[in-house]
Amino acid sequence: MHDPPRAAAASAVEACHTAGISVKMITGDHASTAVAIARSVGLVGESDEPRLVAGPELAETPSADLPARIEQTDVFARVTPEQKLRLVGALQEHHHVVAMTGDGVNDAPALRQADIGVAMGHGGTDVAREAADMLLTDDNFASIEAAVEEGRAVYLNLRKTLAFVLPVIGGASMTILLGALLGLPLPVTALQVLWLNMISALTMSVPLAFEPKPAGLMEQPPRPPERPLLTAGLIRRVLLVSAFNWALIFLLFVWGERQSGDLAVARTMAVQGLVLAQLVYLVSISQFGKDLLAGARGGWRRLLRTPVLLAGITAAVLLQLLFSQTSWMNAFFATAPLGGRE
């Protein structure tokens, strides 16, 4: 009798290993059955001696030696429900983030104990589904690997969005604050700041969140769970770009007012300069910027991978042309048309 694993399981296990995720089989089946399945999915090489521990041997292992024993073992066979729970707890004590999959009633305690309990949504029992944090709707291990990859992409895009949005807010805020402290006319009005925030959110921040997954995403090691979303490096970048945005707005405003003597022209230049700087910064931190460099080396088709971002950049340029060059927008936002010099 032969019940082979799905074809995608072996490639998913390999992808997990590449991504720094350790995959271990815990089963109540006989050791020979467990080893056969482990070989078929790539947990154990065809010619390698399997690193296996059976339930009776596991029961005799002292708790102090258990974490090290688990680290060196790929397959656990003839394991009882209590031992599954013990294995999950030992891994957590060793500072691992544990995702446990299961479908039976005997898996429920370990599913509840794990950091992420994943129950089979199609063939699992009601008890397992109630104990789990997630349901695997297609009962396919490859879906777990795909979810990890998608989660990494979402996290990366979230960090890029924060790195983009915060300097925009910081630059405009510091400009208004400095203008008020020095008793100077505001380089941008409150209504123009609202326009800047709307343009930034709709045409740049939202498209940035939908960027495609970068190449090699599953070749990176997992990030430490204790690492904050706003790291020291990201905070330094936000402060640096905020200072640049502030200087750009303020200097363009001062230059425009001195050259034209028109407050509306100076403010329009400041707003347009900031939006242009945002677009350049957006390209520099996005996947589109990397594809643009690759396109210069002959891979122009890669630029089509980011249609949402390209559409956002185009929309931002068109909206800014309306903002400065149409009379009804000039009247509403107190702006002025810019000539070639400005």
Side-chain angles (χ1 to χ4, degrees):
M1 296 172 63
H2 184 45
D3 183 17
R6 300 188 186 193
S11 60
V13 169
E14 183 181 3
C16 286
H17 286 161
T18 304
I21 302 169
S22 178
V23 182
K24 299 182 183 297
M25 179 189 294
I26 305 175
T27 178
D29 287 339
H30 193 276
S32 59
T33 305
V35 170
I37 296 297
R39 291 192 192 281
S40 64
V41 299
L43 273 178
V44 179
E46 290 295 333
S47 59
D48 297 337
E49 184 68 23
R51 298 187 295 181
L52 181 142
V53 173
E57 185 182 355
L58 188 64
E60 297 174 359
T61 304
S63 298
D65 300 336
L66 189 59
R69 189 70 181 273
I70 296 174
E71 293 277 0
Q72 301 168 4
T73 306
D74 299 313
V75 181
F76 299 87
R78 289 298 190 195
V79 177
T80 65
E82 294 81 7
Q83 289 173 336
K84 292 180 180 180
L85 181 62
R86 188 184 176 204
L87 287 170
V88 171
L91 286 168
Q92 290 173 323
E93 289 176 7
H94 219 51
H95 308 294
H96 288 291
V97 177
V98 182
M100 172 75 184
T101 65
D103 58 359
V105 174
N106 60 352
D107 295 317
L111 288 171
R112 176 66 72 184
Q113 174 66 29
D115 298 286
I116 308 169
V118 185
M120 302 299 111
H122 179 68
T125 61
D126 290 339
V127 175
R129 288 197 288 264
E130 287 293 329
D133 303 294
M134 285 184 176
L135 294 182
L136 196 58
T137 57
D138 58 359
D139 293 4
N140 190 350
F141 181 80
S143 298
I144 298 177
E145 181 266 329
V148 172
E149 185 176 16
E150 191 67 28
R152 288 186 174 192
V154 169
Y155 180 82
L156 185 62
N157 287 347
L158 179 60
R159 277 178 54 85
K160 286 193 291 188
T161 302
L162 285 174
F164 176 76
V165 171
L166 294 180
V168 175
I169 299 172
S173 302
M174 284 194 293
T175 301
I176 294 175
L177 178 62
L178 188 62
L181 290 175
L182 297 178
L184 301 174
L186 293 180
V188 289
T189 65
L191 197 58
Q192 290 168 353
V193 170
L194 290 175
W195 170 262
L196 281 169
N197 287 339
M198 185 187 72
I199 290 296
S200 171
L202 294 181
T203 67
M204 303 181 208
S205 303
V206 172
L208 191 61
F210 288 93
E211 279 215 297
K213 295 184 285 289
L217 186 62
M218 289 297 282
E219 297 174 6
Q220 302 172 9
R223 64 179 177 85
E226 65 276 6
R227 179 186 295 171
L229 189 61
L230 287 175
T231 60
L234 184 57
I235 292 174
R236 284 195 299 270
R237 173 188 282 192
V238 168
L239 293 176
L240 182 64
V241 179
S242 296
F244 174 81
N245 287 340
W246 162 77
L248 181 72
I249 294 174
F250 202 78
L251 292 175
L252 280 174
F253 172 75
V254 171
W255 186 89
E257 187 181 26
R258 288 181 178 178
Q259 293 295 319
S260 65
D262 190 335
L263 198 59
V265 170
R267 285 172 172 164
T268 306
M269 288 184 63
V271 172
Q272 296 290 48
L274 179 59
V275 172
L276 179 60
Q278 288 177 22
L279 289 173
V280 173
Y281 182 52
L282 175 70
V283 171
S284 73
I285 65 173
S286 68
Q287 189 64 34
F288 173 72
K290 297 180 178 63
D291 290 343
L292 193 64
L293 293 175
R297 296 191 293 268
W300 291 106
R301 290 184 180 179
R302 296 181 62 186
L303 298 181
L304 299 179
R305 295 196 314 156
T306 54
V308 178
L309 198 64
L310 288 172
I313 292 173
T314 303
V317 172
L318 293 176
L319 286 170
Q320 286 307 117
L321 288 174
L322 292 175
F323 176 78
S324 66
Q325 304 305 117
T326 57
S327 57
W328 60 278
M329 291 284 270
N330 293 156
F332 188 78
F333 287 102
T335 57
L338 299 182
R341 184 183 182 189
E342 292 84 9

